[in-house]
Amino acid sequence: MAHSHSFQKLGVAVGVLVAVAAIAVLASGLLSASAHTGGPAGGYTWFDSNNPAPKVAFQPVTISTPDALVVGGDDNWNTVDLPFTFNFFGQDHTQVDVSSNGFLSFDIDNPCNDNYNNPTSEDGNTIPVPGDCTTTEWGGEPLIAAWFDDLDVSECGAVFAGTAGEAPSRSFVVRFLDVCHQDCDICETGEGVTFDVILFEGSNDVKIQYADTFFGDTDADLTEENRGGTATVGITKDGTTGLQYSANEMVLTDGLAVLFTTGGLPTPTPTPTPEPTATPEPQVKGDVDCNGNVDPVDSLKLLRYDAGLSVPQEPGCTPVGADLP
């Protein structure tokens, strides 16, 4: 039986975005704080939903044709067929490996797709990631790191995948729903994070939307892992080319959206400013023709009126004989 999934957490609909400082990425993949766009690198630029403009919108997505759990367990992955051909860093793909550790890999069945991105400590890698993935604990490239960390679906949460929209403007959505961290304390519903990875047909853009970015505060390890504190977010082609959004920084917030695109954001159409409505000047008593003065022409028009003749008036003038407003 098919189900529809939209962002929810403990029955509470996902809130609106909270503005926080994001990280801009230079072509080398290094970070430059305080901006809200980064790149280009490998042809990609990122934009997020934080001010200032240009920015993208957080738009909750309902998956119309979801598969039930696409990956389960701890440090695991599953291969999923894409509903359309997706071009990533110049290569076409019809499948993707979905990892339980918060990333998507286009290097199908690479054994590194069960890695958890903590090579020497609790901290994740920074992009790009040179070296062999068996020693760096990175995944098979090219990949999309949405929340690449030591997540644990076996403890709580689920990962779904499905399609939204209609051809030729569909999107493929992978939803990490209330997924716990391996360091979870109670390890039950409500101690996980929720986010979507969205691949767009046609534009080949990648969008990541974060609905719940808080594991909890009952444990010191969890506290430092909240908001992406030990995770890597970005996209990579290989060990030398990639575009990083964040690494080991608490910059992921509820309602944050990050778009990776080879194009740009459309320039918003400015709302036209309506012309002010002129306030008419009050008509002066005796000014029959409404020219702002009482003059002989007004007297002649009054004589015509007294003689029962018609008196032509300018539009908006009070008719002769009527009380002024």
Side-chain angles (χ1 to χ4, degrees):
M1 177 179 177
H3 302 277
S4 291
H5 298 272
S6 57
F7 274 143
Q8 284 193 329
K9 184 69 171 180
L10 298 177
V12 180
V14 177
V16 296
L17 66 89
V18 180
V20 296
I23 307 297
V25 185
L26 303 178
S28 64
L30 300 178
L31 299 182
S32 174
S34 78
H36 299 286
T37 182
Y44 285 87
T45 305
W46 66 253
F47 301 90
D48 70 12
S49 55
N50 293 319
N51 287 319
K55 62 182 183 178
V56 298
F58 181 101
Q59 298 171 313
V61 179
T62 297
I63 306 176
S64 57
T65 56
D67 298 321
L69 191 66
V70 296
V71 60
D74 184 27
D75 300 335
N76 197 8
W77 85 86
N78 190 32
T79 302
V80 179
D81 291 331
L82 297 174
F84 48 83
T85 299
F86 185 76
N87 189 281
F88 191 58
F89 282 108
Q91 295 294 318
D92 287 341
H93 302 277
T94 57
Q95 292 183 313
V96 68
D97 279 358
V98 178
S99 170
S100 63
N101 285 324
F103 70 94
L104 276 59
S105 169
F106 293 98
D107 189 5
I108 304 302
D109 287 338
N110 186 319
C112 289
N113 289 343
D114 63 2
N115 282 346
Y116 53 88
N117 190 31
N118 299 140
T120 58
S121 66
E122 290 293 321
D123 288 344
N125 286 283
T126 57
I127 293 173
V129 185
D132 192 311
C133 61
T134 58
T135 57
T136 61
E137 285 295 336
W138 195 241
E141 294 174 311
L143 66 76
I144 300 166
W147 189 312
F148 198 169
D149 202 352
D150 196 3
L151 306 181
D152 193 347
V153 182
S154 70
E155 294 289 357
C156 65
V159 183
F160 300 89
T163 305
E166 301 291 336
S169 301
R170 292 168 291 181
S171 56
F172 174 72
V173 184
V174 178
R175 174 157 301 153
F176 290 76
L177 183 65
D178 198 24
V179 175
C180 282
H181 196 279
Q182 197 275 333
D183 290 332
C184 60
D185 184 18
I186 304 173
C187 302
E188 63 183 16
T189 299
E191 204 176 89
V193 293
T194 296
F195 56 94
D196 275 358
V197 189
I198 308 170
L199 311 184
F200 291 94
E201 182 179 20
S203 69
N204 298 301
D205 289 345
V206 177
K207 190 177 185 183
I208 310 171
Q209 299 196 143
Y210 300 91
D212 184 350
T213 59
F214 188 74
F215 290 111
D217 56 8
T218 57
D219 180 270
D221 286 337
L222 277 184
T223 299
E224 70 178 10
E225 290 152 354
N226 288 326
R227 318 286 189 218
T230 57
T232 304
V233 178
I235 59 175
T236 64
K237 177 183 180 181
D238 50 38
T240 60
T241 303
L243 182 60
Q244 180 172 292
Y245 180 77
S246 66
N248 311 311
E249 296 188 76
M250 294 183 177
V251 296
L252 307 182
T253 57
D254 297 358
L256 174 70
V258 182
L259 178 73
F260 295 89
T261 178
T262 55
L265 291 181
T267 302
T269 302
T271 302
T273 303
E275 292 293 331
T277 302
T279 302
E281 293 292 332
Q283 187 175 344
V284 178
K285 188 174 182 179
D287 181 18
V288 179
D289 56 4
C290 296
N291 68 354
N293 299 299
V294 178
D295 53 32
V297 175
D298 297 313
S299 299
L300 292 174
K301 289 190 174 185
L302 287 174
L303 290 174
R304 288 181 59 86
Y305 174 77
D306 290 339
L309 302 175
S310 64
V311 181
Q313 293 284 83
E314 295 293 330
C317 271
T318 302
V320 179
D323 291 334
L324 292 175

